[in-house]
Amino acid sequence: MFAHASSAFSRILGTLMLLGSFSGSAMARDLDHNDPDRAAILDAARQGEAVKFVVKDLVRYGDTAYLCALKNDGDGIEGTDDALDVYTWGFYKGSQGWHAISLSGRFASSPDQVDCRIDQTPADSADVVRKAMAESVAGTLRDSLEQSPLSADQLAQLTELRQAHILGDVDVEGDKIAYDKMQLDIVLEHCKDDACRQANQHAFQKLGQWQTDTKVSSLAWNRCRYGLRIGSLVADQQCLEAAMPLPVCRPHQKLPQDQATISSCLVGIRQRCEHQFANTADRDMACP
């Protein structure tokens, strides 16, 4: 009986220890303070910011590294409301030294209760860290394309990450931002007559149908949402109707090989926005 109880207790204790290791502090690692890579990695994360790190996990796997830390700005550890801000980065070592890629942030209740996992996965290999970096950069690129074509710096980083075998082709197809009933209600309130209201209700229905249409690219979908800024779903509908048939706005384009057509799609939508509104105030608001 006692042997059985002892075995059960051991299993429970082992489970608790495993869970404790995932909380962050029990798995805390750090490079030797005399290791030159440690200072270089921390400097890459600072990016010129005058801040000290409270390192909760710092590990290097060859030319790949991972940092999970709190920030101390001199007045104490940075936080939001009653929680502490937890920052994580992945790093790769290129020809110009270490480069940092910001990963997902989170919160902690105290410095001793910091979860340093990456999406519930311990940062226990270079593959885990490199995958997180690739996903972070790809997501940032997709978000950036909702505003404008990629900058020269972004394209240079994309090339470098491909050369470092961290990032492959990036499919720019992402989530389509949904239109909701509240947005429709706000648009209808701006209408001055029934014709306007009927046209926007029809546009809302069409947009709802197109959201799940795989022939409609998220690139054009999210870029054509400029009408919302001036209370016109009709403008969004018309933008998509013009963009959908265009090969340059086709779904599932990839970076870097489709950069030219992606830019052409985005520039074309912006030009349409600028030409669509005769009123300068509307144009400035819809097409910043």
Side-chain angles (χ1 to χ4, degrees), residues 38-101:
R38 184 181 190 276
I41 289 169
L42 294 179
D43 283 343
R46 288 189 184 95
Q47 296 185 342
E49 184 181 8
V51 65
K52 292 184 177 180
F53 290 121
V54 180
V55 174
K56 305 307 296 184
D57 194 19
L58 175 56
V59 60
R60 177 170 59 84
Y61 305 106
D63 290 342
T64 304
Y66 174 71
L67 170 64
C68 170
L70 307 173
K71 286 184 178 181
N72 189 324
D73 59 7
D75 295 323
I77 297 176
E78 294 183 4
T80 303
D81 296 329
D82 294 329
L84 301 178
D85 296 332
V86 180
Y87 299 87
T88 61
W89 294 267
F91 303 84
Y92 65 96
K93 193 172 186 180
S95 59
Q96 302 299 316
W98 288 96
H99 303 271
I101 294 176

Short mmCIF file of all heavy atoms in Angstrom, two decimals, residues 38-101:
data_model
loop_
_atom_site.label_atom_id
_atom_site.label_comp_id
_atom_site.label_asym_id
_atom_site.label_seq_id
_atom_site.Cartn_x
_atom_site.Cartn_y
_atom_site.Cartn_z
N ARG A 38 27.06 37.30 -25.40
CA ARG A 38 25.99 37.74 -24.49
C ARG A 38 25.77 39.25 -24.64
O ARG A 38 24.64 39.71 -24.81
CB ARG A 38 26.33 37.40 -23.04
CG ARG A 38 25.21 37.76 -22.06
CD ARG A 38 25.60 37.42 -20.62
NE ARG A 38 24.47 37.53 -19.73
CZ ARG A 38 24.04 38.66 -19.18
NH1 ARG A 38 24.67 39.81 -19.45
NH2 ARG A 38 22.99 38.67 -18.37
N ALA A 39 26.83 40.02 -24.57
CA ALA A 39 26.71 41.47 -24.69
C ALA A 39 26.20 41.87 -26.07
O ALA A 39 25.36 42.77 -26.20
CB ALA A 39 28.06 42.13 -24.42
N ALA A 40 26.66 41.19 -27.10
CA ALA A 40 26.24 41.51 -28.46
C ALA A 40 24.76 41.20 -28.67
O ALA A 40 24.04 41.96 -29.33
CB ALA A 40 27.09 40.74 -29.47
N ILE A 41 24.30 40.10 -28.11
CA ILE A 41 22.89 39.72 -28.22
C ILE A 41 22.00 40.74 -27.50
O ILE A 41 20.98 41.18 -28.02
CB ILE A 41 22.68 38.29 -27.68
CG1 ILE A 41 23.30 37.27 -28.63
CG2 ILE A 41 21.20 38.00 -27.46
CD1 ILE A 41 23.38 35.87 -28.07
N LEU A 42 22.40 41.10 -26.29
CA LEU A 42 21.61 42.07 -25.53
C LEU A 42 21.58 43.43 -26.23
O LEU A 42 20.55 44.11 -26.25
CB LEU A 42 22.16 42.20 -24.11
CG LEU A 42 22.03 40.95 -23.22
CD1 LEU A 42 22.64 41.23 -21.85
CD2 LEU A 42 20.59 40.53 -23.08
N ASP A 43 22.71 43.83 -26.81
CA ASP A 43 22.76 45.11 -27.53
C ASP A 43 21.84 45.06 -28.76
O ASP A 43 21.20 46.06 -29.10
CB ASP A 43 24.19 45.42 -27.97
CG ASP A 43 25.05 45.94 -26.83
OD1 ASP A 43 24.46 46.37 -25.81
OD2 ASP A 43 26.28 45.93 -26.95
N ALA A 44 21.80 43.91 -29.43
CA ALA A 44 20.92 43.77 -30.59
C ALA A 44 19.46 43.92 -30.17
O ALA A 44 18.65 44.53 -30.89
CB ALA A 44 21.14 42.42 -31.26
N ALA A 45 19.11 43.40 -29.00
CA ALA A 45 17.74 43.53 -28.51
C ALA A 45 17.42 44.96 -28.10
O ALA A 45 16.29 45.43 -28.29
CB ALA A 45 17.52 42.58 -27.32
N ARG A 46 18.39 45.67 -27.57
CA ARG A 46 18.15 47.06 -27.13
C ARG A 46 17.88 47.98 -28.32
O ARG A 46 17.09 48.92 -28.21
CB ARG A 46 19.37 47.58 -26.37
CG ARG A 46 19.56 46.97 -25.00
CD ARG A 46 20.64 47.70 -24.22
NE ARG A 46 20.88 47.06 -22.94
CZ ARG A 46 21.83 46.15 -22.72
NH1 ARG A 46 22.66 45.82 -23.71
NH2 ARG A 46 21.98 45.59 -21.53
N GLN A 47 18.56 47.76 -29.43
CA GLN A 47 18.41 48.59 -30.62
C GLN A 47 18.57 50.09 -30.28
O GLN A 47 17.78 50.93 -30.69
CB GLN A 47 17.06 48.34 -31.28
CG GLN A 47 16.94 46.92 -31.81
CD GLN A 47 15.66 46.67 -32.58
OE1 GLN A 47 14.70 47.42 -32.47
NE2 GLN A 47 15.64 45.61 -33.37
N GLY A 48 19.60 50.36 -29.49
CA GLY A 48 19.91 51.74 -29.13
C GLY A 48 19.16 52.28 -27.94
O GLY A 48 19.42 53.41 -27.50
N GLU A 49 18.22 51.52 -27.42
CA GLU A 49 17.44 51.98 -26.27
C GLU A 49 18.26 51.86 -24.99
O GLU A 49 18.94 50.85 -24.76
CB GLU A 49 16.16 51.14 -26.15
CG GLU A 49 15.20 51.58 -25.06
CD GLU A 49 13.97 50.68 -24.98
OE1 GLU A 49 13.94 49.64 -25.67
OE2 GLU A 49 13.06 51.03 -24.22
N ALA A 50 18.20 52.88 -24.15
CA ALA A 50 18.94 52.86 -22.89
C ALA A 50 18.12 52.11 -21.85
O ALA A 50 17.31 52.70 -21.12
CB ALA A 50 19.22 54.28 -22.43
N VAL A 51 18.29 50.81 -21.80
CA VAL A 51 17.50 49.99 -20.88
C VAL A 51 18.36 48.82 -20.40
O VAL A 51 19.25 48.35 -21.11
CB VAL A 51 16.23 49.47 -21.60
CG1 VAL A 51 16.58 48.53 -22.74
CG2 VAL A 51 15.29 48.80 -20.62
N LYS A 52 18.10 48.38 -19.19
CA LYS A 52 18.75 47.20 -18.66
C LYS A 52 17.74 46.04 -18.67
O LYS A 52 16.56 46.25 -18.42
CB LYS A 52 19.25 47.45 -17.23
CG LYS A 52 20.40 48.45 -17.16
CD LYS A 52 20.93 48.58 -15.73
CE LYS A 52 22.12 49.53 -15.67
NZ LYS A 52 22.65 49.67 -14.28
N PHE A 53 18.27 44.87 -18.94
CA PHE A 53 17.40 43.70 -18.99
C PHE A 53 17.51 42.90 -17.70
O PHE A 53 18.59 42.73 -17.13
CB PHE A 53 17.78 42.79 -20.16
CG PHE A 53 17.45 43.36 -21.50
CD1 PHE A 53 18.44 43.56 -22.45
CD2 PHE A 53 16.14 43.70 -21.84
CE1 PHE A 53 18.15 44.07 -23.69
CE2 PHE A 53 15.84 44.22 -23.08
CZ PHE A 53 16.83 44.41 -24.00
N VAL A 54 16.37 42.41 -17.26
CA VAL A 54 16.34 41.38 -16.22
C VAL A 54 16.15 40.07 -16.98
O VAL A 54 15.05 39.73 -17.40
CB VAL A 54 15.17 41.61 -15.24
CG1 VAL A 54 15.16 40.51 -14.17
CG2 VAL A 54 15.27 42.99 -14.60
N VAL A 55 17.24 39.37 -17.20
CA VAL A 55 17.23 38.18 -18.05
C VAL A 55 16.56 37.02 -17.33
O VAL A 55 16.95 36.64 -16.23
CB VAL A 55 18.66 37.79 -18.46
CG1 VAL A 55 18.65 36.47 -19.23
CG2 VAL A 55 19.29 38.89 -19.30
N LYS A 56 15.54 36.48 -17.97
CA LYS A 56 14.85 35.30 -17.43
C LYS A 56 15.24 34.03 -18.19
O LYS A 56 15.18 32.94 -17.66
CB LYS A 56 13.33 35.49 -17.51
CG LYS A 56 12.82 36.76 -16.83
CD LYS A 56 13.29 36.88 -15.40
CE LYS A 56 12.74 35.78 -14.50
NZ LYS A 56 13.15 35.97 -13.08
N ASP A 57 15.63 34.19 -19.45
CA ASP A 57 16.08 33.04 -20.23
C ASP A 57 16.90 33.56 -21.41
O ASP A 57 16.40 34.37 -22.20
CB ASP A 57 14.88 32.23 -20.74
CG ASP A 57 15.30 30.86 -21.27
OD1 ASP A 57 16.41 30.40 -20.93
OD2 ASP A 57 14.51 30.23 -22.00
N LEU A 58 18.13 33.14 -21.51
CA LEU A 58 19.01 33.52 -22.62
C LEU A 58 19.82 32.29 -23.00
O LEU A 58 20.60 31.78 -22.21
CB LEU A 58 19.93 34.67 -22.23
CG LEU A 58 21.00 35.08 -23.26
CD1 LEU A 58 20.36 35.42 -24.59
CD2 LEU A 58 21.81 36.26 -22.74
N VAL A 59 19.61 31.84 -24.22
CA VAL A 59 20.28 30.62 -24.67
C VAL A 59 20.73 30.82 -26.11
O VAL A 59 20.09 31.52 -26.89
CB VAL A 59 19.32 29.40 -24.56
CG1 VAL A 59 18.08 29.59 -25.41
CG2 VAL A 59 20.03 28.10 -24.92
N ARG A 60 21.87 30.23 -26.44
CA ARG A 60 22.40 30.32 -27.80
C ARG A 60 22.59 28.92 -28.35
O ARG A 60 23.12 28.04 -27.69
CB ARG A 60 23.73 31.07 -27.80
CG ARG A 60 24.39 31.16 -29.17
CD ARG A 60 25.58 32.11 -29.17
NE ARG A 60 26.60 31.72 -28.20
CZ ARG A 60 27.55 30.82 -28.44
NH1 ARG A 60 27.61 30.19 -29.60
NH2 ARG A 60 28.45 30.54 -27.51
N TYR A 61 22.13 28.73 -29.60
CA TYR A 61 22.34 27.48 -30.32
C TYR A 61 23.14 27.81 -31.58
O TYR A 61 22.56 28.08 -32.63
CB TYR A 61 21.00 26.85 -30.72
CG TYR A 61 20.05 26.62 -29.56
CD1 TYR A 61 18.94 27.43 -29.38
CD2 TYR A 61 20.26 25.58 -28.66
CE1 TYR A 61 18.06 27.22 -28.34
CE2 TYR A 61 19.39 25.36 -27.60
CZ TYR A 61 18.29 26.19 -27.45
OH TYR A 61 17.43 25.98 -26.40
N GLY A 62 24.45 27.87 -31.47
CA GLY A 62 25.26 28.23 -32.63
C GLY A 62 25.00 29.66 -33.05
O GLY A 62 25.22 30.60 -32.29
N ASP A 63 24.48 29.84 -34.27
CA ASP A 63 24.21 31.17 -34.80
C ASP A 63 22.77 31.60 -34.55
O ASP A 63 22.28 32.55 -35.18
CB ASP A 63 24.48 31.20 -36.31
CG ASP A 63 25.97 31.11 -36.62
OD1 ASP A 63 26.78 31.36 -35.70
OD2 ASP A 63 26.33 30.78 -37.77
N THR A 64 22.09 30.91 -33.65
CA THR A 64 20.71 31.25 -33.29
C THR A 64 20.64 31.43 -31.77
O THR A 64 21.32 30.73 -31.03
CB THR A 64 19.74 30.11 -33.70
OG1 THR A 64 19.88 29.87 -35.10
CG2 THR A 64 18.30 30.48 -33.39
N ALA A 65 19.85 32.40 -31.32
CA ALA A 65 19.74 32.64 -29.88
C ALA A 65 18.32 33.07 -29.54
O ALA A 65 17.54 33.46 -30.41
CB ALA A 65 20.74 33.70 -29.43
N TYR A 66 18.03 32.98 -28.25
CA TYR A 66 16.69 33.35 -27.76
C TYR A 66 16.84 34.08 -26.43
O TYR A 66 17.64 33.70 -25.58
CB TYR A 66 15.84 32.10 -27.55
CG TYR A 66 14.49 32.38 -26.92
CD1 TYR A 66 13.48 33.02 -27.62
CD2 TYR A 66 14.23 31.98 -25.60
CE1 TYR A 66 12.25 33.28 -27.04
CE2 TYR A 66 13.00 32.23 -25.01
CZ TYR A 66 12.01 32.88 -25.74
OH TYR A 66 10.80 33.15 -25.16
N LEU A 67 16.06 35.16 -26.29
CA LEU A 67 16.08 35.95 -25.05
C LEU A 67 14.66 36.20 -24.58
O LEU A 67 13.79 36.60 -25.37
CB LEU A 67 16.77 37.30 -25.30
CG LEU A 67 16.66 38.34 -24.16
CD1 LEU A 67 17.36 37.86 -22.90
CD2 LEU A 67 17.24 39.69 -24.61
N CYS A 68 14.44 35.95 -23.32
CA CYS A 68 13.18 36.29 -22.65
C CYS A 68 13.58 37.15 -21.46
O CYS A 68 14.39 36.73 -20.62
CB CYS A 68 12.49 35.00 -22.20
SG CYS A 68 11.05 35.24 -21.11
N ALA A 69 13.04 38.36 -21.37
CA ALA A 69 13.54 39.29 -20.35
C ALA A 69 12.48 40.31 -19.96
O ALA A 69 11.51 40.55 -20.68
CB ALA A 69 14.79 40.01 -20.85
N LEU A 70 12.71 40.91 -18.81
CA LEU A 70 11.97 42.09 -18.37
C LEU A 70 12.85 43.30 -18.63
O LEU A 70 14.08 43.16 -18.76
CB LEU A 70 11.65 41.98 -16.88
CG LEU A 70 10.95 40.70 -16.40
CD1 LEU A 70 10.87 40.68 -14.88
CD2 LEU A 70 9.57 40.59 -17.02
N LYS A 71 12.26 44.46 -18.72
CA LYS A 71 13.03 45.69 -18.94
C LYS A 71 13.01 46.56 -17.70
O LYS A 71 11.95 46.76 -17.10
CB LYS A 71 12.45 46.50 -20.12
CG LYS A 71 12.74 45.93 -21.49
CD LYS A 71 12.20 46.87 -22.57
CE LYS A 71 12.52 46.36 -23.96
NZ LYS A 71 12.03 47.28 -25.02
N ASN A 72 14.17 47.07 -17.34
CA ASN A 72 14.28 48.03 -16.25
C ASN A 72 14.77 49.34 -16.83
O ASN A 72 15.89 49.43 -17.33
CB ASN A 72 15.26 47.51 -15.18
CG ASN A 72 15.24 48.36 -13.93
OD1 ASN A 72 15.09 49.57 -14.00
ND2 ASN A 72 15.41 47.73 -12.78
N ASP A 73 13.91 50.35 -16.79
CA ASP A 73 14.25 51.64 -17.40
C ASP A 73 14.92 52.60 -16.43
O ASP A 73 15.11 53.78 -16.72
CB ASP A 73 13.00 52.30 -17.99
CG ASP A 73 11.92 52.55 -16.95
OD1 ASP A 73 12.19 52.35 -15.74
OD2 ASP A 73 10.82 52.96 -17.32
N GLY A 74 15.33 52.10 -15.26
CA GLY A 74 15.97 52.95 -14.26
C GLY A 74 15.03 53.31 -13.14
O GLY A 74 15.46 53.58 -12.01
N ASP A 75 13.73 53.33 -13.43
CA ASP A 75 12.72 53.61 -12.41
C ASP A 75 12.03 52.34 -11.92
O ASP A 75 11.08 52.40 -11.15
CB ASP A 75 11.67 54.58 -12.96
CG ASP A 75 12.26 55.95 -13.28
OD1 ASP A 75 13.13 56.39 -12.53
OD2 ASP A 75 11.83 56.55 -14.29
N GLY A 76 12.49 51.21 -12.41
CA GLY A 76 11.89 49.94 -12.03
C GLY A 76 11.53 49.13 -13.28
O GLY A 76 11.76 49.57 -14.41
N ILE A 77 11.00 47.97 -13.04
CA ILE A 77 10.64 47.09 -14.15
C ILE A 77 9.40 47.62 -14.86
O ILE A 77 8.42 47.99 -14.22
CB ILE A 77 10.40 45.65 -13.64
CG1 ILE A 77 11.70 45.09 -13.05
CG2 ILE A 77 9.91 44.75 -14.77
CD1 ILE A 77 11.56 43.72 -12.43
N GLU A 78 9.47 47.66 -16.18
CA GLU A 78 8.35 48.16 -16.96
C GLU A 78 7.14 47.24 -16.85
O GLU A 78 7.29 46.01 -16.79
CB GLU A 78 8.75 48.30 -18.44
CG GLU A 78 9.82 49.36 -18.68
CD GLU A 78 10.14 49.52 -20.15
OE1 GLU A 78 9.47 48.86 -20.98
OE2 GLU A 78 11.05 50.29 -20.48
N GLY A 79 5.97 47.85 -16.81
CA GLY A 79 4.75 47.06 -16.72
C GLY A 79 3.56 47.79 -17.28
O GLY A 79 3.64 48.97 -17.66
N THR A 80 2.47 47.09 -17.36
CA THR A 80 1.19 47.64 -17.81
C THR A 80 0.17 47.38 -16.73
O THR A 80 -0.10 46.23 -16.39
CB THR A 80 0.75 46.99 -19.13
OG1 THR A 80 1.77 47.19 -20.13
CG2 THR A 80 -0.57 47.59 -19.62
N ASP A 81 -0.38 48.46 -16.18
CA ASP A 81 -1.30 48.35 -15.05
C ASP A 81 -0.59 47.63 -13.91
O ASP A 81 0.47 48.05 -13.49
CB ASP A 81 -2.60 47.66 -15.46
CG ASP A 81 -3.37 48.47 -16.50
OD1 ASP A 81 -3.28 49.71 -16.45
OD2 ASP A 81 -4.04 47.87 -17.36
N ASP A 82 -1.13 46.50 -13.45
CA ASP A 82 -0.53 45.78 -12.32
C ASP A 82 0.34 44.62 -12.77
O ASP A 82 0.82 43.83 -11.94
CB ASP A 82 -1.62 45.25 -11.39
CG ASP A 82 -2.38 46.38 -10.70
OD1 ASP A 82 -1.76 47.44 -10.46
OD2 ASP A 82 -3.58 46.22 -10.43
N ALA A 83 0.55 44.48 -14.08
CA ALA A 83 1.33 43.35 -14.60
C ALA A 83 2.68 43.83 -15.13
O ALA A 83 2.86 45.00 -15.49
CB ALA A 83 0.56 42.65 -15.70
N LEU A 84 3.64 42.92 -15.16
CA LEU A 84 4.96 43.22 -15.71
C LEU A 84 4.97 42.84 -17.19
O LEU A 84 4.38 41.83 -17.59
CB LEU A 84 6.03 42.41 -14.97
CG LEU A 84 6.14 42.65 -13.46
CD1 LEU A 84 7.22 41.75 -12.88
CD2 LEU A 84 6.46 44.12 -13.16
N ASP A 85 5.64 43.66 -18.00
CA ASP A 85 5.77 43.37 -19.43
C ASP A 85 6.93 42.40 -19.65
O ASP A 85 8.05 42.64 -19.20
CB ASP A 85 6.03 44.65 -20.22
CG ASP A 85 4.87 45.64 -20.13
OD1 ASP A 85 3.74 45.18 -19.94
OD2 ASP A 85 5.12 46.86 -20.24
N VAL A 86 6.64 41.31 -20.37
CA VAL A 86 7.66 40.31 -20.69
C VAL A 86 7.97 40.42 -22.19
O VAL A 86 7.06 40.40 -23.02
CB VAL A 86 7.18 38.89 -20.36
CG1 VAL A 86 8.26 37.86 -20.72
CG2 VAL A 86 6.80 38.78 -18.89
N TYR A 87 9.24 40.54 -22.52
CA TYR A 87 9.67 40.68 -23.91
C TYR A 87 10.45 39.45 -24.34
O TYR A 87 11.24 38.89 -23.56
CB TYR A 87 10.56 41.92 -24.06
CG TYR A 87 9.88 43.22 -23.71
CD1 TYR A 87 9.86 43.68 -22.39
CD2 TYR A 87 9.26 43.98 -24.69
CE1 TYR A 87 9.24 44.87 -22.06
CE2 TYR A 87 8.63 45.19 -24.37
CZ TYR A 87 8.62 45.62 -23.06
OH TYR A 87 8.01 46.80 -22.74
N THR A 88 10.26 39.03 -25.59
CA THR A 88 11.01 37.89 -26.12
C THR A 88 11.54 38.24 -27.50
O THR A 88 10.90 38.97 -28.28
CB THR A 88 10.12 36.63 -26.22
OG1 THR A 88 9.01 36.87 -27.10
CG2 THR A 88 9.60 36.22 -24.85
N TRP A 89 12.72 37.73 -27.81
CA TRP A 89 13.37 37.94 -29.10
C TRP A 89 14.01 36.65 -29.57
O TRP A 89 14.48 35.82 -28.78
CB TRP A 89 14.48 38.97 -29.00
CG TRP A 89 14.10 40.37 -28.69
CD1 TRP A 89 13.84 41.39 -29.57
CD2 TRP A 89 13.98 40.97 -27.38
NE1 TRP A 89 13.55 42.55 -28.90
CE2 TRP A 89 13.63 42.32 -27.55
CE3 TRP A 89 14.11 40.46 -26.08
CZ2 TRP A 89 13.43 43.19 -26.49
CZ3 TRP A 89 13.90 41.30 -25.02
CH2 TRP A 89 13.56 42.66 -25.22
N GLY A 90 14.04 36.51 -30.89
CA GLY A 90 14.89 35.51 -31.51
C GLY A 90 16.04 36.24 -32.17
O GLY A 90 15.93 37.43 -32.53
N PHE A 91 17.19 35.58 -32.32
CA PHE A 91 18.37 36.22 -32.91
C PHE A 91 19.02 35.29 -33.93
O PHE A 91 18.99 34.07 -33.77
CB PHE A 91 19.42 36.54 -31.83
CG PHE A 91 18.93 37.39 -30.70
CD1 PHE A 91 18.26 36.82 -29.62
CD2 PHE A 91 19.12 38.77 -30.71
CE1 PHE A 91 17.80 37.60 -28.57
CE2 PHE A 91 18.67 39.56 -29.66
CZ PHE A 91 18.00 38.97 -28.59
N TYR A 92 19.58 35.90 -34.95
CA TYR A 92 20.42 35.15 -35.88
C TYR A 92 21.69 35.94 -36.09
O TYR A 92 21.70 37.18 -36.05
CB TYR A 92 19.70 34.88 -37.21
CG TYR A 92 19.39 36.12 -38.01
CD1 TYR A 92 20.24 36.55 -39.04
CD2 TYR A 92 18.24 36.87 -37.76
CE1 TYR A 92 19.96 37.68 -39.78
CE2 TYR A 92 17.95 38.01 -38.50
CZ TYR A 92 18.81 38.41 -39.51
OH TYR A 92 18.53 39.54 -40.24
N LYS A 93 22.78 35.22 -36.34
CA LYS A 93 24.07 35.86 -36.51
C LYS A 93 24.38 35.93 -37.99
O LYS A 93 24.52 34.91 -38.67
CB LYS A 93 25.17 35.10 -35.77
CG LYS A 93 26.48 35.86 -35.65
CD LYS A 93 27.45 35.13 -34.74
CE LYS A 93 28.70 35.97 -34.48
NZ LYS A 93 29.65 35.25 -33.58
N GLY A 94 24.46 37.15 -38.51
CA GLY A 94 24.77 37.36 -39.92
C GLY A 94 26.16 37.92 -40.10
O GLY A 94 26.98 37.92 -39.16
N SER A 95 26.43 38.41 -41.29
CA SER A 95 27.77 38.93 -41.58
C SER A 95 28.10 40.17 -40.77
O SER A 95 29.27 40.48 -40.53
CB SER A 95 27.87 39.26 -43.08
OG SER A 95 26.88 40.22 -43.45
N GLN A 96 27.05 40.89 -40.32
CA GLN A 96 27.26 42.12 -39.53
C GLN A 96 27.01 41.90 -38.05
O GLN A 96 26.77 42.86 -37.31
CB GLN A 96 26.35 43.24 -40.06
CG GLN A 96 26.54 43.56 -41.53
CD GLN A 96 27.95 44.03 -41.83
OE1 GLN A 96 28.51 44.84 -41.09
NE2 GLN A 96 28.54 43.51 -42.91
N GLY A 97 27.04 40.66 -37.60
CA GLY A 97 26.83 40.37 -36.18
C GLY A 97 25.43 39.86 -35.90
O GLY A 97 24.74 39.35 -36.77
N TRP A 98 25.00 40.02 -34.65
CA TRP A 98 23.71 39.50 -34.22
C TRP A 98 22.57 40.46 -34.58
O TRP A 98 22.70 41.67 -34.45
CB TRP A 98 23.72 39.28 -32.70
CG TRP A 98 24.54 38.10 -32.29
CD1 TRP A 98 25.83 38.13 -31.85
CD2 TRP A 98 24.14 36.74 -32.28
NE1 TRP A 98 26.26 36.86 -31.55
CE2 TRP A 98 25.25 35.98 -31.81
CE3 TRP A 98 22.97 36.06 -32.62
CZ2 TRP A 98 25.20 34.59 -31.69
CZ3 TRP A 98 22.91 34.68 -32.49
CH2 TRP A 98 24.02 33.96 -32.03
N HIS A 99 21.46 39.88 -35.02
CA HIS A 99 20.27 40.65 -35.38
C HIS A 99 19.08 40.12 -34.57
O HIS A 99 18.91 38.90 -34.44
CB HIS A 99 19.97 40.53 -36.87
CG HIS A 99 21.09 40.98 -37.75
ND1 HIS A 99 21.24 42.28 -38.17
CD2 HIS A 99 22.14 40.28 -38.27
CE1 HIS A 99 22.31 42.37 -38.92
NE2 HIS A 99 22.89 41.19 -39.00
N ALA A 100 18.29 41.04 -34.04
CA ALA A 100 17.16 40.66 -33.20
C ALA A 100 15.85 40.74 -33.96
O ALA A 100 15.64 41.66 -34.76
CB ALA A 100 17.09 41.58 -31.97
N ILE A 101 14.99 39.76 -33.70
CA ILE A 101 13.63 39.78 -34.23
C ILE A 101 12.68 39.66 -33.05
O ILE A 101 12.72 38.68 -32.29
CB ILE A 101 13.40 38.62 -35.21
CG1 ILE A 101 14.26 38.82 -36.45
CG2 ILE A 101 11.92 38.51 -35.60
CD1 ILE A 101 14.18 37.69 -37.45
#
